Amino acid sequence: MEQQELWIKSTLDGTMQPSLFYRASAPNRPLLVGLHTWSFDRFNQIENMLPFATENDFNLLLPEFRGKNRKENPNCTQACGSPLAKQDIVDAIDYVIANESADPENVFLLGASGGGHMALLMAGFCPERFKAICAYVPITDLVKWSVENPKYGNHVDLCCRGDQAQMLERSPISYIDTIAKANLKICHGKYDSVVPVRQSIELYNLIYEKYPTSRVFLDIFDGGHQLDMKQAAYWILSQYQKKKATQVTG
């Protein structure tokens, strides 16, 4: 699949924002939206996600959504789940649906770590846009995480200008009512030393207690801070080619 560099105008601030795009071989094929991790940009998930897109003939969109959540990014206050970052993803999806013949009924979202954080924020922003979402090892509460992992705490401070209200506004745990409307699988390694597994457990428990019949699922796997692309692919394809399961008898 040939890589295209797209520059898409933000509908919020009018700036031109970059994304990478890989077109499927046929029109009206599904779209996988892949989100980069905390410290990187749109290029860092090519190796993980392009093989899946190629094998299954999915379109692949890798948006920038304002870049790294780190001090090295001069625009870091616009990153880290800001309204601008979330709208960049929506704008990029709208662009490829309109201009690249992607199927609007089969849009899937996948991210890990900082990308998992952003995937959950998108579930809290526009869950209706996605057939299914998969968030691996996500940060769900920036206030707690900035204390749990001081290595990243200063980056959270910079992105949010040291404002706890901003941290909460950019935390998925603030949007459980909307996240509960998503078709979402959260996957977290039990032994994650970067983002504690309790981040995902606490979010899931809040959603389950209030919305027990929601299609939000939690998978605690034997591992650490990692993305298992094989399992992520299984979830995405299972929702794309969904069949009724056979009831098990006693």
Side-chain angles (χ1 to χ4, degrees):
M1 300 173 81
E2 182 181 352
Q3 177 181 300
Q4 299 179 57
E5 185 90 56
L6 304 178
W7 288 88
I8 299 163
K9 189 174 183 178
S10 166
T11 55
L12 284 186
D13 68 0
T15 59
M16 301 301 291
Q17 296 297 322
S19 291
L20 299 180
F21 182 69
Y22 299 83
R23 187 188 297 111
S25 67
N28 206 42
R29 292 293 299 159
L31 172 64
L32 174 62
V33 183
L35 304 179
H36 63 74
T37 56
W38 185 271
S39 301
F40 294 91
D41 56 20
R42 64 193 181 281
F43 294 94
N44 101 301
Q45 287 303 310
I46 296 171
E47 185 176 341
N48 280 329
M49 300 186 190
L50 184 56
F52 167 86
T54 302
E55 180 179 350
N56 295 283
D57 200 27
F58 275 38
N59 296 287
L60 175 62
L61 174 66
L62 303 173
E64 182 87 346
F65 55 100
R66 307 289 162 143
K68 305 173 183 179
N69 302 333
R70 295 178 65 93
K71 62 182 179 181
E72 294 87 352
N73 177 1
N75 298 313
C76 68
T77 58
Q78 297 179 7
C80 196
S82 74
L84 289 169
K86 290 186 285 190
Q87 190 61 44
D88 284 351
I89 294 171
V90 173
D91 290 340
I93 292 169
D94 286 344
Y95 180 90
V96 298
I97 287 173
N99 296 281
E100 301 291 346
S101 298
D103 180 1
E105 300 301 318
N106 282 290
V107 180
F108 299 87
L109 184 64
L110 172 61
S113 189
H117 164 255
M118 197 66 187
L120 292 179
L121 284 176
M122 295 306 292
F125 184 55
C126 54
E128 72 284 351
R129 300 297 300 264
F130 304 102
K131 183 80 167 281
I133 300 171
C134 187
Y136 259 81
V137 294
I139 303 105
T140 66
D141 186 329
L142 288 175
V143 175
K144 286 186 177 180
W145 188 57
S146 65
V147 176
E148 291 167 342
N149 193 334
K151 177 182 176 182
Y152 289 89
N154 64 327
H155 300 300
V156 174
D157 265 352
L158 282 167
C159 290
C160 299
R161 298 186 174 93
D163 183 351
Q164 283 205 356
Q166 275 284 308
M167 294 179 195
L168 284 173
E169 186 177 316
R170 300 177 188 216
S171 294
I173 207 157
S174 299
Y175 303 101
I176 62 167
D177 294 331
T178 313
I179 292 173
K181 299 175 183 177
N183 184 25
L184 166 67
K185 188 170 188 179
I186 305 167
C187 302
H188 214 124
K190 185 175 182 179
Y191 309 106
D192 191 337
S193 61
V194 179
V195 181
V197 66
R198 63 177 167 268
Q199 287 259 332
S200 287
I201 293 172
E202 288 173 3
L203 175 69
Y204 176 78
N205 284 344
L206 286 171
I207 294 171
Y208 183 77
E209 286 166 12
K210 193 170 183 180
Y211 302 101
T213 61
S214 73
R215 288 197 54 79
V216 177
F217 307 97
L218 175 62
D219 177 5
I220 300 174
F221 61 87
D222 181 5
H225 195 68
Q226 62 200 71
L227 166 63
D228 185 333
M229 194 62 209
K230 183 176 180 181
Q231 290 302 313
Y234 180 83
W235 164 249
I236 291 166
L237 292 173
S238 74
Q239 299 308 295
Y240 174 51
Q241 303 163 335
K242 194 165 182 63
K243 297 177 182 178
K244 188 174 181 179
T246 303
Q247 182 71 38
V248 175
T249 58

